[in-house]
Amino acid sequence: MEESECKERTKTAIRHNTLILRDGGSWTGIASGFLRQKTRPYVWFMAAGNCDGELTPSNETLPLVEVYAKFTGVDGTQFSHEEIGMLGLYFIALIAYTAILGYNVYNYYMDFQKTERLDSPILLLLVAVGCEFVSIFTMWINLLVYSYDGEGVKALHVIAIIAEVASQFFLSMLLILISWGWTITFLEFGDIEIFIPLLLLLLIMHLLVAGLTQLTSDEYSKYHDYQGIQGLILVISRLGMLTYFLYGMKDTYAKSRMKARVFLKPFAICAGVYLVSFPFLVVLCQVCAHYVRHKVMTIGSILVQSVAMCALLRLFVGKNAYTQVSKHGGTILPGGKGD
């Protein structure tokens, strides 16, 4: 590169630092400074220049120079722009889910004392809440470590992804089972072989999403966990579940008494909104700026799971339409003949 061209390019740089290279390849002193960005985040590049040729009097090529750079936010953490504020968000979610989990445990215990049955919609809801709690807790710890070393703990991130997808699986399974009349028109599964393939397919789809999410977690072109093929799988599977759910609800609604229909209407609305919410979030992220997609998907996912769990718990607990029409009580799921 010509000296004039080199200096012209140097002029376009936002910041300059002069480094005095030492003999023997030892490290130079530390150069520190600030970079400011307005309106939107930028991608910053660094380059070493030797425009005057002082380093290479007998050679046209710049010798190998190793540069160690460390970028931190204004708060001293190593979060990228997409992750700023996420540590606080996960802490708030952790407190909320601690309360939700405790409330679910209490209600499941009271339900067991009353019916002396282990199987209950509240049990599946409790497992889903527990998995989401594990996901949020491990992700919070991972982000806490990441804020200091810029790397985090890979194992914790894996556990968080698996637990989050497991929570979605158990919640989806609960919605599908009730849509086909479990505890409403029947209590025990006489034809359980009909449900096993469906639940296995549901499990495989969620495991596939979890696996692909983890395998592609470090791709530079990925802006949120469900971007890519796993997002497409999630959209297709959720829309398929919604179709199957509505078909089951139609059959159950036709077989139910008037009191049961009072419960089924709000349940169908709650479940339907939940099943379409994730496809909606995936599509919404595509029209958002790249640097906010991670926050949109993360905050949206936590809110969707939280609202769905609280709404379902409200439908199942207390003196309401469900407790009046539920066939809950008797033997343990699954087994026996259908009603």
Side-chain angles (χ1 to χ4, degrees):
M1 183 184 300
E2 296 293 334
E3 181 178 342
S4 58
E5 184 182 356
C6 179
K7 290 184 176 181
E8 190 64 30
R9 290 194 179 187
T10 304
K11 290 180 181 179
T12 63
I14 300 296
R15 186 177 180 85
H16 302 85
N17 274 91
T18 301
L19 299 178
I20 307 300
L21 300 186
R22 297 174 179 174
D23 295 332
S26 59
W27 287 100
T28 66
I30 298 176
S32 60
F34 295 90
L35 293 172
R36 302 181 185 277
Q37 54 189 21
K38 299 179 180 179
T39 308
R40 60 179 62 87
Y42 297 93
V43 177
W44 298 97
F45 295 92
M46 294 183 302
N50 181 33
C51 295
D52 296 328
E54 295 178 359
L55 293 176
T56 57
S58 60
N59 194 331
E60 295 183 358
T61 338
L62 184 68
L64 180 63
V65 178
E66 184 176 355
V67 179
Y68 174 78
K70 180 180 179 181
F71 290 88
T72 60
V74 292
D75 57 355
T77 65
Q78 298 198 37
F79 288 131
S80 64
H81 182 82
E82 294 91 339
E83 294 169 325
I84 293 175
M86 298 305 292
L87 185 62
L89 170 68
Y90 272 102
F91 182 70
I92 294 173
L94 183 62
I95 294 176
Y97 266 92
T98 300
I100 296 173
L101 181 61
Y103 189 61
N104 268 268
V105 171
Y106 170 76
N107 280 286
Y108 179 68
Y109 174 76
M110 296 301 294
D111 183 73
F112 177 76
Q113 291 290 99
K114 179 181 178 181
T115 64
E116 295 185 352
R117 290 183 62 99
L118 294 175
D119 63 313
S120 165
I122 302 178
L123 175 60
L124 289 179
L125 191 58
L126 175 60
V127 174
V129 172
C131 289
E132 189 70 14
F133 174 84
V134 171
S135 174
I136 290 175
F137 177 72
T138 52
M139 187 60 78
W140 178 68
I141 296 295
N142 180 55
L143 287 175
L144 191 62
V145 176
Y146 187 96
S147 67
Y148 290 101
D149 64 9
E151 295 182 3
V153 182
K154 192 73 170 180
L156 291 178
H157 185 262
V158 173
I159 294 173
I161 294 297
I162 293 175
E164 180 182 5
V165 174
S167 175
Q168 296 174 15
F169 166 73
F170 283 109
L171 197 56
S172 299
M173 182 171 67
L174 172 62
L175 301 182
I176 294 296
L177 288 177
I178 293 184
S179 72
W180 282 92
W182 179 49
T183 71
I184 303 297
T185 60
F186 70 91
L187 186 61
E188 300 176 19
F189 294 89
D191 298 323
I192 194 173
E193 62 275 4
I194 298 177
F195 291 93
I196 289 179
L198 172 65
L199 296 181
L200 286 176
L201 179 61
L202 193 62
L203 177 61
I204 291 172
M205 296 293 283
H206 281 82
L207 289 176
L208 187 60
V209 169
L212 289 173
T213 299
Q214 183 55 39
L215 286 174
T216 60
S217 60
D218 292 328
E219 287 191 1
Y220 72 92
S221 59
K222 184 177 177 181
Y223 295 97
H224 61 83
D225 284 339
Y226 299 112
Q227 183 167 330
I229 185 64
Q230 64 269 32
L232 180 61
I233 293 173
L234 180 67
V235 170
I236 293 175
S237 63
R238 284 302 174 91
L239 294 179
M241 277 189 281
L242 177 63
T243 303
Y244 191 75
F245 171 83
L246 293 176
Y247 185 72
M249 283 298 302
K250 180 181 178 182
D251 182 74
T252 301
Y253 191 84
K255 296 178 181 178
S256 301
R257 296 168 296 167
M258 189 59 64
K259 285 186 177 180
R261 294 179 178 181
V262 174
F263 161 76
L264 290 174
K265 287 180 180 179
F267 171 76
I269 294 173
C270 175
V273 171
Y274 171 76
L275 291 173
V276 300
S277 60
F278 280 96
F280 173 76
L281 284 174
V282 172
V283 175
L284 177 63
C285 284
Q286 298 306 307
V287 299
C288 293
H290 293 165
Y291 55 88
V292 299
R293 290 181 182 181
H294 177 66
K295 287 183 179 178
V296 170
M297 178 55 71
T298 302
I299 296 174
S301 298
I302 293 176
L303 283 177
V304 165
Q305 287 290 106
S306 304
V307 172
M309 290 171 179
C310 291
L312 289 173
L313 188 61
R314 179 67 182 86
L315 288 174
F316 292 141
V317 174
K319 296 180 180 180
N320 49 41
Y322 176 76
T323 57
Q324 296 177 22
V325 301
S326 173
K327 293 180 177 291
H328 185 53
T331 59
I332 295 178
L333 167 75
K337 304 289 183 182
D339 259 2

